[in-house]
Amino acid sequence: MLEYVDAMSSARRGLSWGVCVVALLTAACAARVPAPASQPAPAVAAVPETPDPVPQPDPVAALIALSEQHFESGRKELEAGHLDTAKTNFNRSLEILLEWPGGARSEPRIREQYDRLVERISAHEVTALAQGDGFTEKASEPASIDELLAISTFEPPPPATKETEQAVAQDLQAVVHDIDIPLNPRVLSYVELFTGRLKGYLEEGLGRGAPYLQMIQEVFRAEGLPLDLAYVPLIESAFKPNALSKAKAKGMWQFMRGTALENGLKHDWYIDERSDPEKATRAAAKYLKTLYAMFDDWHLALASYNGGPGRVQRAIKRSGRDDFWKLTSTKRYLPRETRDYVPLILAAVIVARNPAQYGMNIVPADPPAYEIVTVPSAVDLRRVAEWAGTPVQTIQELNPELRRWTTPLRETDYELKVPEGTASVVNARITEVSSDELAPLNHHTVKKGETLLSISKKLKVSRTDLAEANYLSTKANLKAGQQLIIPRAPTLLLAARTDATDTVVPAVDVTPADVAVASQPVVPAVKTDSAPEKVIHRVKRGDTLYSIARRYDTTVEELKEWNRLRSSAIQIGQRLTILVDSGPSTN
């Protein structure tokens, strides 16, 4: 058996050796014999690539996008107070959809966009009417005097530190003041307050007041008043021209209405000169001189500026003391706010005269650059802003004495401030527009038996506003035929919102390719020579003379002529006579 196994192993070793020899001989032969040339692969016919389909423009999407662009432009113009430009853009956003072949109702997406635009424009109209319709009084800002006196009443200022006392002592020796400032704990405690907790308030107020200080000091210097008193508005209003206190004192100098009238400031339904910085400063100089003449003491004069001269005179008489500090050493004679007012003013003067000494970081506001335009009749400030290319807020800030968005009704030479470089443009536009178109005025002709009360109830306006807007007493008697201004804006009408199915819109030859670029203009209908027919149109909400003119294929000018309208103002329920062509029209 073992012999058999050995024989088989030898045979396997011989076979393996033979295989190796054959393999080596084959490799050697392959090295000597050249390999045949490789054959090229058979050509495969090229398959042409199918180009991706070119996306076709969606004319409806392009139309909606163009409409949306005009709406957004109108919204931005409305935010700036530019009503005319806003109305133009809003109208155009709707007209683009109405010009689609078949009208805005013929395609679902266009119909949806049209309805959405009408809702959005209506919402903007309601907001615009609420915020300012030409007659809504401009909002005021809180007066700082209320907050400062509340702090002194409920949170007495902290006692001054040694550092503050030393700084003030050095300051009073180095800086010459033209009113007496005693170094007492009451003044020092307010310096501590202004350089600590209220440091930001003082920095902001001094920065805001920087454009006014030179003017105030020039007025006071001319009147022979102490220049230190130029900082009284820092406490009264933080130099805000439109500040209004809880007691209804107004303006930078915080005049009560009666005191303002006594010192030459005008106040009526249209203007309040308490808010005019220069006019109010001249009135303040006059009033301060009067108070000083009464008391021959600036501390008592300042106390009277706050509490009234009569109250201070009675306190002096009752106490037998004519020194402010002795008079206010007890609570018996003057209210706390008047006792605190004088040290508040003096502390503010100390810091304001030498702000670096107290670590103040003041960033002066830039003085407004303006020109003056003489307005011949009432004009809407929103029109002026549009002509000047500036937000209406800018015009309001330049003219803070205007209570509303219109200049006074009876002023024929009102001086209106406009941004520098715009006077020539505004003057030119004023001359181009009729006086009836300059301001948003509604008129009412008084009928026999009507009174201010009956008219106010009928037209849903305040009787007081109705009287004051017309320079009348609330008890004034009216005469038949008398013209009254109604203190309510005409329908704002930011866009003609007549439904597409009710609006006469001539067919327009518009191709999809054209729509992708711009909408086509409306082609006016050709009138026939048939006799005109009289139609009575009752004004509905959303109607404008422009939308009515389009509906009846006429012009705004003809509507005005037929109805003897002096302006474009119309009211809901008003009946308009319209002459229309009785024959058919062709396109």
Side-chain angles (χ1 to χ4, degrees), residues 342-362:
V342 175
L344 263 172
I345 295 290
L346 298 181
V349 170
I350 290 172
V351 179
R353 285 288 305 274
N354 194 5
Q357 171 85 353
Y358 302 95
M360 294 286 154
N361 181 25
I362 299 169

Side-chain angles (χ1 to χ4, degrees), residues 82 177 250 406 448:
H82 301 164
H177 292 275
K250 192 171 186 181
T406 180
K448 186 177 180 180

